[in-house]
């Protein structure tokens, strides 16, 4: 069965047969998949009053060792949020009582960010729904296919310096 990317590839092949447009088969599908996945994940996070970046900050703190505290720099390195976005997210999450910033006992000039009980409860309630959404999105793949795809994508990311 042909999809939208197949249509685009056919059009390019007809107009520019001299070019190898095969990379578009992968990149085009990854781009379309990214948009669809983002939309579905955003719905799930929205049901819990979160957005993706806020969930990522809370989840990063939650998966860190107790007492679930990290410096802003550690948060940035361990999450998928940029440094500017970390400060903005922390301000919003702190205003909602989901995290607190406190002096860093190992560095008098710095701070650590700690997950509050409310923050831990929210991430613990959101995570099962998030995983259910991801499982639904990958429902067309077997466990073996998922593992192969994950390994392939990891190899591509590592080749681009993301590892």
């Amino acid at each position: 069965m042909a999809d939208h990317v197949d249509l685009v590839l056919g059009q390019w092949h007809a107009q520019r047969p001299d070019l190898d447009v095969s990379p578009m088969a992968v990149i085009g599908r990854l781009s379309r998949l990214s948009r669809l996945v983002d939309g579905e994940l955003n719905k799930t996070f929205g049901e819990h009053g979160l957005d993706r970046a806020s969930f990522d900050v809370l989840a990063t703190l939650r998966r860190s060792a107790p007492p679930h505290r990290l410096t802003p720099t550690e948060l940035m390195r361990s999450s998928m949020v940029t440094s500017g976005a970390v400060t903005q997210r922390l301000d919003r999450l702190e205003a909602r009582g989901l995290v607190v910033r406190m002096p860093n006992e190992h560095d008098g000039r710095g701070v650590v960010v700690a997950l509050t009980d409310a923050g831990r409860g929210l991430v613990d309630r959101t995570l099962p729904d998030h995983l259910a959404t991801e499982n639904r999105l990958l429902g067309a793949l077997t466990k073996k296919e998922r593992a192969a795809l994950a390994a392939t994508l990891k190899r591509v990311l590592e080749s681009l310096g993301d590892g």
Side-chain angles (χ1 to χ4, degrees):
M1 174 164 49
D3 66 0
H4 178 77
V5 175
D6 287 329
L7 173 68
V8 170
L9 294 172
Q11 290 170 329
W12 276 122
H13 182 71
Q15 298 303 313
R16 291 295 310 265
D18 56 310
L19 295 177
D20 174 14
V21 296
S22 63
M24 290 181 180
V26 175
I27 302 299
R29 287 186 176 100
L30 283 173
S31 295
R32 292 175 68 80
L33 183 59
S34 177
R35 282 192 302 273
L36 291 169
V37 167
D38 283 346
E40 292 301 310
L41 293 179
N42 287 335
K43 284 182 203 172
T44 299
F45 296 139
E47 291 169 2
H48 293 275
L50 294 169
D51 58 28
R52 189 175 194 151
S54 295
F55 174 79
D56 193 43
V57 169
L58 295 174
T60 299
L61 287 166
R62 177 65 175 99
R63 71 177 186 259
S64 69
H68 309 297
R69 295 179 183 165
L70 296 170
T71 67
T73 300
E74 290 169 330
L75 258 176
M76 183 188 68
R77 288 185 189 139
S78 298
S79 69
M80 294 183 264
V81 181
T82 64
S83 60
V86 166
T87 300
Q88 185 181 61
R89 290 291 164 219
L90 291 178
D91 290 344
R92 290 181 185 164
L93 292 169
E94 192 169 37
R96 292 180 59 189
L98 302 173
V99 300
V100 293
R101 286 181 255 206
M102 56 186 72
N104 186 339
E105 53 193 53
H106 304 291
D107 176 4
R109 298 170 294 148
V111 299
V112 293
V113 180
L115 195 59
T116 65
D117 288 343
R120 181 178 174 156
L122 180 57
V123 75
D124 283 352
R125 287 188 306 277
T126 305
L127 186 59
D129 291 343
H130 172 60
L131 291 171
T133 298
E134 288 186 337
N135 272 310
R136 180 177 49 79
L137 292 169
L138 296 173
L141 303 177
T142 65
K143 285 187 178 194
K144 186 176 179 181
E145 289 169 329
R146 289 181 189 195
L149 179 58
T152 300
L153 292 173
K154 179 181 178 183
R155 194 167 65 244
V156 173
L157 287 168
E158 288 172 343
S159 78
L160 297 172
D162 187 53

